[in-house]
Amino acid sequence: MALNNTPAGTIRYWAAARAAAGTSEEPYAAVTLADALDAARERHALRPEFARVLLRCSFLVDGAPVGTRDHKTVQLAEGGTVEVLPPFAGG
């Protein structure tokens, strides 16, 4: 577990989110999805497209869709995974 009992896990970026972040995954140390995404925005502040892409993404937390829930209410777990999924074209 990260400092102060803050859960630590992995954020995985897919497609356009991966391109905007410049990485396919990175660690998080955050209690909520909102906290993890805020920290990711700060880490990638020099990549302005990253914040724009996040606005269009959907998220899975440990395999469960976040949907329209407020990201401040979505709790993260130790060893968890956040999947960042931009809209996909085609079908």
Side-chain angles (χ1 to χ4, degrees):
M1 202 172 256
L3 297 176
N4 302 325
N5 295 326
T6 301
T10 303
I11 301 175
R12 291 191 184 134
Y13 300 107
W14 297 95
R18 179 177 50 227
T23 187
S24 60
E25 65 180 49
E26 62 189 358
Y28 71 73
V31 174
T32 68
L33 178 58
D35 295 337
L37 295 177
D38 287 346
R41 283 184 197 93
E42 287 179 27
R43 276 192 302 279
H44 300 289
L46 297 178
R47 301 178 74 98
E49 183 62 17
F50 180 76
R52 288 191 286 273
V53 168
L54 281 188
L55 293 173
R56 299 187 311 269
C57 288
S58 58
F59 304 92
L60 299 176
V61 173
D62 298 329
V66 171
T68 59
R69 287 184 287 161
D70 184 336
H71 295 171
K72 293 176 186 171
T73 68
V74 179
Q75 299 291 307
L76 299 181
E78 177 67 21
T81 302
V82 174
E83 307 280 349
V84 180
L85 307 167
F88 292 93

Coordinates of all heavy atoms in Angstrom, one line a residue:
M1 N 0.8 -1.2 0.0 CA 0.0 0.0 0.0 C 0.9 1.2 0.0 O 1.9 1.3 0.6 CB -0.9 0.0 1.2 CG -2.1 0.8 1.1 SD -3.3 0.6 2.4 CE -4.5 -0.4 1.6
A2 N 0.4 2.3 -0.7 CA 1.2 3.5 -0.7 C 1.2 4.2 0.6 O 0.5 3.8 1.6 CB 0.6 4.4 -1.8
L3 N 1.9 5.3 0.7 CA 1.9 6.1 1.9 C 0.5 6.5 2.4 O -0.4 6.7 1.6 CB 2.7 7.4 1.6 CG 4.2 7.2 1.3 CD1 4.8 8.6 1.0 CD2 4.9 6.5 2.4
N4 N 0.4 6.6 3.7 CA -0.9 7.0 4.4 C -2.0 6.1 4.0 O -3.2 6.5 4.0 CB -1.2 8.5 4.0 CG -0.1 9.4 4.3 OD1 0.5 9.3 5.4 ND2 0.1 10.4 3.5
N5 N -1.8 4.8 3.8 CA -2.8 3.9 3.5 C -3.6 4.2 2.2 O -4.7 3.8 2.1 CB -3.8 3.7 4.7 CG -3.0 3.1 5.8 OD1 -2.1 2.3 5.7 ND2 -3.4 3.4 7.0
T6 N -3.0 5.0 1.3 CA -3.6 5.3 0.0 C -3.4 4.1 -0.9 O -2.3 3.6 -1.1 CB -3.0 6.5 -0.6 OG1 -3.1 7.6 0.3 CG2 -3.6 6.9 -1.9
P7 N -4.5 3.6 -1.5 CA -4.4 2.4 -2.4 C -3.5 2.8 -3.6 O -3.5 3.9 -4.1 CB -5.8 2.2 -2.8 CG -6.7 2.8 -1.8 CD -5.9 4.0 -1.3
A8 N -2.7 1.8 -4.0 CA -1.9 1.9 -5.2 C -2.2 0.8 -6.2 O -2.6 -0.3 -5.8 CB -0.4 1.8 -4.8
G9 N -2.2 1.2 -7.5 CA -2.6 0.3 -8.5 C -2.0 0.8 -9.8 O -1.1 1.5 -9.9
T10 N -2.7 0.4 -10.9 CA -2.2 0.7 -12.3 C -3.3 1.3 -13.1 O -4.5 0.9 -13.0 CB -1.8 -0.6 -13.0 OG1 -0.8 -1.3 -12.2 CG2 -1.3 -0.4 -14.4
I11 N -3.0 2.4 -13.8 CA -3.9 2.9 -14.8 C -3.4 2.5 -16.2 O -2.2 2.6 -16.5 CB -3.8 4.5 -14.8 CG1 -4.2 5.0 -13.4 CG2 -4.7 5.1 -15.9 CD1 -4.1 6.6 -13.3
R12 N -4.3 1.9 -17.0 CA -3.9 1.4 -18.3 C -4.6 2.3 -19.3 O -5.8 2.5 -19.2 CB -4.3 0.0 -18.5 CG -3.5 -1.0 -17.7 CD -3.8 -2.4 -18.1 NE -3.1 -3.3 -17.3 CZ -3.6 -4.4 -16.7 NH1 -4.8 -4.7 -17.0 NH2 -2.9 -5.1 -16.0
Y13 N -3.9 2.8 -20.3 CA -4.4 3.7 -21.3 C -4.5 2.9 -22.7 O -3.6 2.2 -23.0 CB -3.5 4.9 -21.6 CG -3.3 5.7 -20.3 CD1 -2.1 5.7 -19.6 CD2 -4.3 6.6 -19.9 CE1 -2.0 6.5 -18.5 CE2 -4.2 7.3 -18.7 CZ -3.0 7.3 -18.0 OH -2.8 8.0 -16.9
W14 N -5.6 3.1 -23.4 CA -5.9 2.4 -24.6 C -6.0 3.4 -25.8 O -6.5 4.5 -25.6 CB -7.1 1.6 -24.5 CG -7.0 0.5 -23.5 CD1 -7.4 0.5 -22.2 CD2 -6.3 -0.8 -23.6 NE1 -7.0 -0.6 -21.5 CE2 -6.3 -1.4 -22.4 CE3 -5.7 -1.4 -24.7 CZ2 -5.8 -2.7 -22.2 CZ3 -5.2 -2.6 -24.5 CH2 -5.2 -3.3 -23.3
A15 N -5.6 3.0 -26.9 CA -5.7 3.7 -28.2 C -5.3 5.2 -28.1 O -4.2 5.5 -27.8 CB -7.2 3.6 -28.7
A16 N -6.2 6.1 -28.4 CA -5.9 7.6 -28.3 C -5.5 8.0 -27.0 O -4.6 8.9 -26.8 CB -7.1 8.4 -28.8
A17 N -6.0 7.4 -25.9 CA -5.5 7.8 -24.5 C -4.1 7.4 -24.4 O -3.3 8.2 -23.8 CB -6.4 7.1 -23.5
R18 N -3.7 6.3 -24.9 CA -2.3 5.8 -24.8 C -1.4 6.8 -25.6 O -0.3 7.2 -25.1 CB -2.1 4.4 -25.3 CG -0.6 3.9 -25.3 CD -0.5 2.5 -25.7 NE -1.1 2.3 -27.0 CZ -1.9 1.2 -27.3 NH1 -2.1 0.3 -26.3 NH2 -2.4 1.1 -28.4
A19 N -1.8 7.2 -26.8 CA -1.0 8.1 -27.6 C -0.9 9.5 -26.9 O 0.2 10.1 -26.8 CB -1.7 8.3 -28.9
A20 N -2.0 9.9 -26.3 CA -2.0 11.3 -25.6 C -1.1 11.2 -24.3 O -0.4 12.2 -24.0 CB -3.4 11.7 -25.3
A21 N -1.1 10.1 -23.6 CA -0.3 10.0 -22.4 C 1.2 9.7 -22.7 O 2.0 10.0 -21.9 CB -0.9 8.8 -21.5
G22 N 1.4 9.1 -23.8 CA 2.8 8.7 -24.2 C 3.2 7.5 -23.5 O 4.4 7.2 -23.4
T23 N 2.3 6.7 -22.9 CA 2.6 5.5 -22.2 C 1.4 4.6 -22.2 O 0.3 5.1 -22.3 CB 3.1 5.8 -20.8 OG1 3.5 4.5 -20.2 CG2 2.0 6.4 -19.9
S24 N 1.6 3.3 -22.1 CA 0.4 2.4 -22.1 C -0.1 2.2 -20.6 O -1.3 1.8 -20.5 CB 0.8 1.1 -22.7 OG 1.8 0.4 -22.0
E25 N 0.8 2.4 -19.6 CA 0.3 2.3 -18.3 C 1.2 3.0 -17.3 O 2.4 3.3 -17.6 CB 0.1 0.8 -17.8 CG 1.4 0.0 -17.8 CD 1.1 -1.4 -17.3 OE1 0.2 -2.1 -17.8 OE2 1.8 -1.9 -16.4
E26 N 0.7 3.3 -16.1 CA 1.4 4.0 -15.1 C 0.8 3.7 -13.8 O -0.4 3.3 -13.7 CB 1.6 5.5 -15.3 CG 0.3 6.2 -15.4 CD 0.4 7.7 -15.8 OE1 1.5 8.1 -16.1 OE2 -0.6 8.4 -15.9
P27 N 1.5 3.8 -12.7 CA 0.9 3.6 -11.4 C 0.0 4.7 -10.9 O 0.1 5.8 -11.3 CB 2.1 3.4 -10.4 CG 3.2 4.3 -11.1 CD 2.9 4.2 -12.6
Y28 N -0.9 4.3 -10.0 CA -1.7 5.4 -9.3 C -1.5 5.1 -7.8 O -1.2 4.0 -7.3 CB -3.2 5.4 -9.6 CG -4.0 4.2 -9.1 CD1 -4.3 4.1 -7.8 CD2 -4.5 3.3 -10.0 CE1 -5.1 3.0 -7.3 CE2 -5.2 2.2 -9.6 CZ -5.5 2.1 -8.2 OH -6.3 1.0 -7.8
A29 N -1.6 6.2 -7.0 CA -1.7 6.2 -5.6 C -2.8 7.1 -5.2 O -2.6 8.3 -5.2 CB -0.4 6.5 -4.9
A30 N -4.1 6.6 -5.1 CA -5.2 7.5 -5.0 C -6.4 6.7 -4.3 O -6.5 5.5 -4.5 CB -5.7 8.0 -6.3
V31 N -7.2 7.4 -3.6 CA -8.4 6.8 -3.0 C -9.6 6.7 -3.9 O -10.3 5.7 -3.9 CB -8.8 7.7 -1.7 CG1 -10.1 7.2 -1.1 CG2 -7.6 7.7 -0.7
T32 N -9.7 7.7 -4.8 CA -10.9 7.7 -5.7 C -10.4 7.9 -7.2 O -9.2 8.3 -7.4 CB -11.8 8.9 -5.4 OG1 -11.2 10.1 -5.8 CG2 -12.3 8.9 -4.0
L33 N -11.3 7.5 -8.1 CA -11.0 7.7 -9.5 C -10.7 9.2 -9.8 O -9.7 9.5 -10.6 CB -12.1 7.2 -10.4 CG -12.0 7.3 -11.9 CD1 -10.7 6.6 -12.4 CD2 -13.2 6.8 -12.6
A34 N -11.4 10.1 -9.2 CA -11.2 11.5 -9.5 C -9.8 11.9 -9.0 O -9.1 12.6 -9.8 CB -12.2 12.3 -8.7
D35 N -9.3 11.4 -7.9 CA -8.0 11.7 -7.4 C -6.9 11.1 -8.4 O -5.9 11.8 -8.7 CB -7.7 11.1 -6.0 CG -8.6 11.7 -4.9 OD1 -9.1 12.9 -5.1 OD2 -8.8 11.0 -3.9
A36 N -7.1 9.9 -8.8 CA -6.1 9.3 -9.8 C -6.1 10.1 -11.1 O -5.0 10.3 -11.6 CB -6.5 7.8 -10.0
L37 N -7.2 10.5 -11.6 CA -7.2 11.2 -12.9 C -6.7 12.6 -12.7 O -5.9 13.1 -13.6 CB -8.6 11.3 -13.4 CG -9.2 9.9 -13.8 CD1 -10.7 10.1 -14.3 CD2 -8.4 9.2 -14.9
D38 N -6.9 13.3 -11.6 CA -6.3 14.6 -11.3 C -4.8 14.5 -11.3 O -4.1 15.3 -11.9 CB -6.8 15.2 -10.0 CG -8.2 15.7 -10.1 OD1 -8.8 15.8 -11.2 OD2 -8.8 15.9 -9.0
A39 N -4.3 13.4 -10.6 CA -2.8 13.2 -10.6 C -2.2 12.9 -11.9 O -1.2 13.4 -12.3 CB -2.5 12.1 -9.6
A40 N -3.0 12.1 -12.7 CA -2.5 11.8 -14.1 C -2.5 13.1 -14.9 O -1.5 13.3 -15.7 CB -3.4 10.8 -14.7
R41 N -3.5 14.0 -14.8 CA -3.5 15.2 -15.6 C -2.3 16.1 -15.2 O -1.7 16.7 -16.0 CB -4.8 16.0 -15.3 CG -6.0 15.5 -16.0 CD -7.2 16.4 -15.8 NE -8.4 15.7 -16.2 CZ -9.2 15.0 -15.3 NH1 -8.9 14.9 -14.0 NH2 -10.2 14.4 -15.7
E42 N -2.0 16.1 -13.9 CA -0.8 16.9 -13.5 C 0.5 16.3 -14.0 O 1.4 17.0 -14.5 CB -0.7 16.9 -11.9 CG -1.7 17.8 -11.3 CD -1.6 17.8 -9.8 OE1 -0.5 17.5 -9.2 OE2 -2.7 18.0 -9.1
R43 N 0.6 14.9 -14.0 CA 1.8 14.3 -14.5 C 2.0 14.6 -16.0 O 3.1 14.6 -16.5 CB 1.8 12.8 -14.4 CG 2.2 12.3 -13.0 CD 2.4 10.8 -13.0 NE 1.2 10.0 -13.3 CZ 0.2 9.7 -12.5 NH1 0.2 10.2 -11.3 NH2 -0.8 9.0 -12.9
H44 N 0.9 14.7 -16.7 CA 0.9 14.9 -18.2 C 0.6 16.3 -18.6 O 0.1 16.6 -19.7 CB 0.0 13.9 -18.9 CG 0.4 12.5 -18.6 ND1 1.5 11.9 -19.1 CD2 -0.2 11.6 -17.8 CE1 1.6 10.6 -18.7 NE2 0.6 10.4 -17.9
A45 N 0.8 17.3 -17.7 CA 0.5 18.7 -18.0 C 1.2 19.2 -19.2 O 0.6 20.1 -19.9 CB 0.8 19.5 -16.8
L46 N 2.3 18.7 -19.6 CA 3.0 19.2 -20.8 C 2.5 18.5 -22.1 O 3.0 18.8 -23.1 CB 4.5 18.9 -20.7 CG 5.2 19.7 -19.5 CD1 6.7 19.3 -19.4 CD2 5.0 21.2 -19.7
R47 N 1.5 17.7 -21.9 CA 0.8 17.1 -23.1 C -0.7 17.5 -23.0 O -1.5 16.7 -22.6 CB 1.0 15.5 -23.0 CG 2.4 15.1 -22.9 CD 2.5 13.6 -22.8 NE 2.2 12.9 -24.0 CZ 3.0 12.5 -24.9 NH1 4.3 12.6 -24.7 NH2 2.6 11.9 -26.0
P48 N -1.0 18.7 -23.5 CA -2.4 19.2 -23.4 C -3.5 18.3 -24.0 O -4.6 18.3 -23.6 CB -2.3 20.5 -24.1 CG -1.0 20.6 -24.8 CD -0.1 19.6 -24.2
E49 N -3.1 17.5 -25.0 CA -4.1 16.6 -25.6 C -4.6 15.6 -24.6 O -5.7 15.1 -24.7 CB -3.5 15.9 -26.9 CG -4.4 15.0 -27.6 CD -5.7 15.8 -28.2 OE1 -5.7 17.0 -28.3 OE2 -6.6 15.0 -28.5
F50 N -3.7 15.2 -23.7 CA -4.1 14.2 -22.7 C -5.4 14.6 -21.9 O -6.3 13.8 -21.9 CB -3.0 14.0 -21.7 CG -3.3 13.0 -20.6 CD1 -3.2 11.6 -20.9 CD2 -3.6 13.4 -19.3 CE1 -3.5 10.7 -19.9 CE2 -3.9 12.5 -18.4 CZ -3.8 11.1 -18.7
A51 N -5.5 15.8 -21.4 CA -6.7 16.3 -20.7 C -7.9 16.3 -21.6 O -9.0 15.9 -21.2 CB -6.4 17.7 -20.1
R52 N -7.7 16.7 -22.9 CA -8.8 16.7 -23.8 C -9.3 15.3 -24.1 O -10.5 15.1 -24.1 CB -8.4 17.4 -25.1 CG -8.3 18.9 -25.0 CD -8.1 19.6 -26.3 NE -6.8 19.4 -26.9 CZ -5.7 20.1 -26.7 NH1 -5.8 21.1 -25.9 NH2 -4.6 19.8 -27.4
V53 N -8.4 14.3 -24.2 CA -8.8 13.0 -24.5 C -9.6 12.4 -23.3 O -10.6 11.7 -23.5 CB -7.6 12.1 -24.9 CG1 -7.9 10.6 -24.8 CG2 -7.0 12.5 -26.2
L54 N -9.1 12.7 -22.1 CA -9.8 12.2 -20.9 C -11.2 12.6 -20.8 O -12.1 11.8 -20.3 CB -9.1 12.6 -19.6 CG -7.8 11.9 -19.2 CD1 -7.4 12.3 -17.8 CD2 -8.0 10.4 -19.2
L55 N -11.6 13.8 -21.3 CA -13.0 14.2 -21.3 C -13.9 13.3 -22.1 O -15.1 13.3 -21.8 CB -13.0 15.7 -21.8 CG -12.4 16.7 -21.0 CD1 -12.4 18.1 -21.7 CD2 -13.1 16.9 -19.6
R56 N -13.3 12.6 -23.1 CA -14.2 11.8 -24.0 C -14.1 10.3 -23.6 O -14.8 9.5 -24.2 CB -13.7 12.0 -25.4 CG -13.8 13.4 -26.0 CD -13.5 13.5 -27.4 NE -12.3 12.8 -27.9 CZ -11.1 13.4 -27.9 NH1 -10.9 14.7 -27.6 NH2 -10.0 12.7 -28.4
C57 N -13.3 10.0 -22.6 CA -13.1 8.6 -22.3 C -14.2 8.0 -21.3 O -14.8 8.7 -20.6 CB -11.7 8.4 -21.6 SG -10.4 8.6 -22.7
S58 N -14.3 6.7 -21.4 CA -15.0 5.9 -20.4 C -14.0 5.2 -19.6 O -12.8 5.0 -20.0 CB -16.0 5.0 -21.0 OG -15.4 4.1 -21.9
F59 N -14.4 4.7 -18.4 CA -13.5 4.1 -17.5 C -14.0 2.8 -16.9 O -15.2 2.7 -16.7 CB -13.2 5.0 -16.3 CG -12.7 6.4 -16.8 CD1 -13.6 7.4 -17.0 CD2 -11.3 6.6 -17.0 CE1 -13.1 8.6 -17.5 CE2 -10.9 7.8 -17.4 CZ -11.8 8.8 -17.7
L60 N -13.1 1.8 -16.7 CA -13.4 0.6 -16.0 C -12.5 0.6 -14.8 O -11.3 0.9 -14.9 CB -13.1 -0.6 -16.9 CG -13.8 -0.9 -18.2 CD1 -13.3 -2.1 -18.9 CD2 -15.3 -1.0 -18.0
V61 N -13.1 0.3 -13.7 CA -12.3 0.1 -12.4 C -12.4 -1.3 -12.0 O -13.6 -1.8 -11.7 CB -12.8 1.1 -11.3 CG1 -12.1 0.8 -10.0 CG2 -12.6 2.5 -11.8
D62 N -11.3 -2.0 -12.0 CA -11.3 -3.5 -11.7 C -12.3 -4.2 -12.5 O -13.1 -5.1 -12.0 CB -11.5 -3.7 -10.2 CG -10.3 -3.1 -9.4 OD1 -9.2 -3.0 -9.9 OD2 -10.6 -2.6 -8.3
G63 N -12.5 -3.9 -13.8 CA -13.4 -4.5 -14.7 C -14.8 -4.1 -14.7 O -15.6 -4.5 -15.6
A64 N -15.2 -3.2 -13.8 CA -16.6 -2.7 -13.7 C -16.7 -1.3 -14.4 O -15.9 -0.4 -14.1 CB -17.0 -2.6 -12.3
P65 N -17.7 -1.2 -15.3 CA -17.8 0.2 -15.9 C -18.2 1.2 -14.9 O -19.0 1.0 -14.0 CB -19.0 -0.1 -16.9 CG -19.2 -1.5 -17.0 CD -18.6 -2.1 -15.7
V66 N -17.6 2.4 -15.0 CA -17.9 3.5 -14.1 C -19.2 4.2 -14.6 O -20.0 4.6 -13.7 CB -16.7 4.5 -14.1 CG1 -17.1 5.8 -13.4 CG2 -15.5 3.9 -13.5
G67 N -19.4 4.2 -15.9 CA -20.6 4.9 -16.4 C -20.7 6.3 -16.0 O -19.7 7.0 -16.1
T68 N -21.9 6.8 -15.6 CA -22.1 8.2 -15.3 C -21.9 8.5 -13.8 O -22.1 9.6 -13.4 CB -23.6 8.6 -15.7 OG1 -24.5 7.8 -14.9 CG2 -23.8 8.4 -17.1
R69 N -21.4 7.6 -13.0 CA -21.1 7.9 -11.6 C -20.1 9.0 -11.5 O -19.2 9.1 -12.3 CB -20.6 6.6 -10.9 CG -21.6 5.6 -10.6 CD -21.1 4.4 -9.8 NE -20.2 3.6 -10.7 CZ -19.3 2.8 -10.2 NH1 -19.1 2.6 -8.9 NH2 -18.5 2.1 -11.0
D70 N -20.3 9.8 -10.4 CA -19.3 10.8 -10.1 C -18.0 10.2 -9.8 O -17.9 9.3 -8.9 CB -19.8 11.6 -8.9 CG -19.0 12.8 -8.5 OD1 -17.8 12.8 -8.8 OD2 -19.5 13.7 -7.9
H71 N -16.9 10.6 -10.4 CA -15.6 10.0 -10.2 C -15.1 10.1 -8.8 O -14.3 9.4 -8.3 CB -14.6 10.5 -11.2 CG -14.9 10.2 -12.6 ND1 -14.2 10.7 -13.7 CD2 -15.8 9.4 -13.2 CE1 -14.7 10.3 -14.8 NE2 -15.7 9.4 -14.5
K72 N -15.6 11.1 -8.1 CA -15.3 11.3 -6.6 C -15.9 10.2 -5.8 O -15.4 10.0 -4.6 CB -15.8 12.7 -6.1 CG -15.0 13.8 -6.8 CD -15.6 15.2 -6.3 CE -15.0 16.3 -7.1 NZ -15.7 17.6 -6.9
T73 N -16.9 9.5 -6.3 CA -17.5 8.5 -5.5 C -17.0 7.1 -5.8 O -17.4 6.1 -5.1 CB -19.0 8.5 -5.6 OG1 -19.3 8.1 -7.0 CG2 -19.6 9.8 -5.3
V74 N -16.1 7.0 -6.8 CA -15.6 5.7 -7.2 C -14.3 5.4 -6.5 O -13.3 6.0 -6.7 CB -15.4 5.6 -8.8 CG1 -14.8 4.3 -9.2 CG2 -16.7 6.0 -9.5
Q75 N -14.4 4.4 -5.5 CA -13.3 4.1 -4.7 C -12.3 3.2 -5.4 O -12.7 2.3 -6.2 CB -13.8 3.4 -3.4 CG -14.7 4.2 -2.6 CD -14.0 5.4 -1.9 OE1 -12.9 5.2 -1.3 NE2 -14.5 6.6 -2.1
L76 N -11.0 3.4 -5.2 CA -10.0 2.5 -5.8 C -9.5 1.6 -4.8 O -9.5 1.9 -3.6 CB -8.9 3.4 -6.4 CG -9.3 4.3 -7.5 CD1 -8.1 5.1 -8.0 CD2 -10.0 3.6 -8.6
A77 N -9.0 0.4 -5.2 CA -8.5 -0.6 -4.3 C -7.0 -0.8 -4.4 O -6.4 -0.5 -5.5 CB -9.2 -1.9 -4.6
E78 N -6.4 -1.3 -3.4 CA -5.0 -1.7 -3.4 C -4.8 -2.8 -4.5 O -5.6 -3.7 -4.5 CB -4.6 -2.2 -2.1 CG -3.1 -2.7 -2.0 CD -2.1 -1.6 -2.2 OE1 -2.4 -0.4 -2.0 OE2 -1.0 -1.9 -2.6
G79 N -3.9 -2.5 -5.4 CA -3.6 -3.5 -6.5 C -4.6 -3.5 -7.6 O -4.6 -4.3 -8.5
G80 N -5.5 -2.4 -7.6 CA -6.5 -2.3 -8.6 C -6.0 -1.9 -10.0 O -4.9 -1.5 -10.1
T81 N -7.0 -1.9 -10.9 CA -6.7 -1.4 -12.3 C -7.7 -0.5 -12.8 O -8.9 -0.8 -12.6 CB -6.6 -2.6 -13.2 OG1 -5.6 -3.5 -12.8 CG2 -6.2 -2.2 -14.6
V82 N -7.3 0.7 -13.3 CA -8.2 1.6 -14.0 C -7.9 1.5 -15.5 O -6.8 1.7 -15.9 CB -8.0 3.0 -13.5 CG1 -8.8 4.0 -14.3 CG2 -8.3 3.2 -12.0
E83 N -8.9 1.2 -16.3 CA -8.8 1.2 -17.7 C -9.4 2.4 -18.3 O -10.5 2.8 -18.0 CB -9.5 0.0 -18.3 CG -9.2 -1.4 -17.7 CD -7.9 -2.0 -18.2 OE1 -7.4 -1.5 -19.2 OE2 -7.5 -3.0 -17.6
V84 N -8.6 3.1 -19.1 CA -9.0 4.4 -19.7 C -9.3 4.1 -21.2 O -8.4 3.8 -22.0 CB -7.9 5.5 -19.6 CG1 -8.4 6.8 -20.2 CG2 -7.6 5.7 -18.1
L85 N -10.6 4.2 -21.6 CA -11.0 3.8 -22.9 C -11.6 5.0 -23.7 O -12.7 5.4 -23.4 CB -12.1 2.7 -22.8 CG -11.7 1.5 -21.9 CD1 -12.9 0.7 -21.6 CD2 -10.7 0.7 -22.6
P86 N -10.9 5.4 -24.7 CA -11.4 6.5 -25.5 C -12.5 5.9 -26.4 O -12.6 4.7 -26.6 CB -10.3 7.0 -26.4 CG -9.3 5.8 -26.4 CD -9.5 5.0 -25.1
P87 N -13.4 6.7 -27.0 CA -14.4 6.2 -27.9 C -13.7 5.5 -29.1 O -12.7 5.9 -29.6 CB -15.1 7.5 -28.4 CG -14.7 8.6 -27.5 CD -13.4 8.2 -26.9
F88 N -14.3 4.4 -29.5 CA -13.7 3.6 -30.6 C -14.6 3.8 -31.8 O -15.8 3.7 -31.7 CB -13.7 2.1 -30.2 CG -12.6 1.8 -29.2 CD1 -13.0 1.8 -27.8 CD2 -11.3 1.6 -29.5 CE1 -12.1 1.5 -26.8 CE2 -10.4 1.3 -28.5 CZ -10.7 1.3 -27.2
A89 N -14.0 3.9 -33.0 CA -14.8 4.0 -34.2 C -15.0 2.6 -34.8 O -14.3 1.7 -34.4 CB -14.0 4.9 -35.2
G90 N -16.0 2.5 -35.6 CA -16.3 1.2 -36.2 C -17.1 0.3 -35.3 O -17.7 0.7 -34.4
G91 N -17.0 -1.0 -35.6 CA -17.8 -1.9 -34.8 C -17.9 -3.2 -35.3 O -17.3 -3.8 -36.1

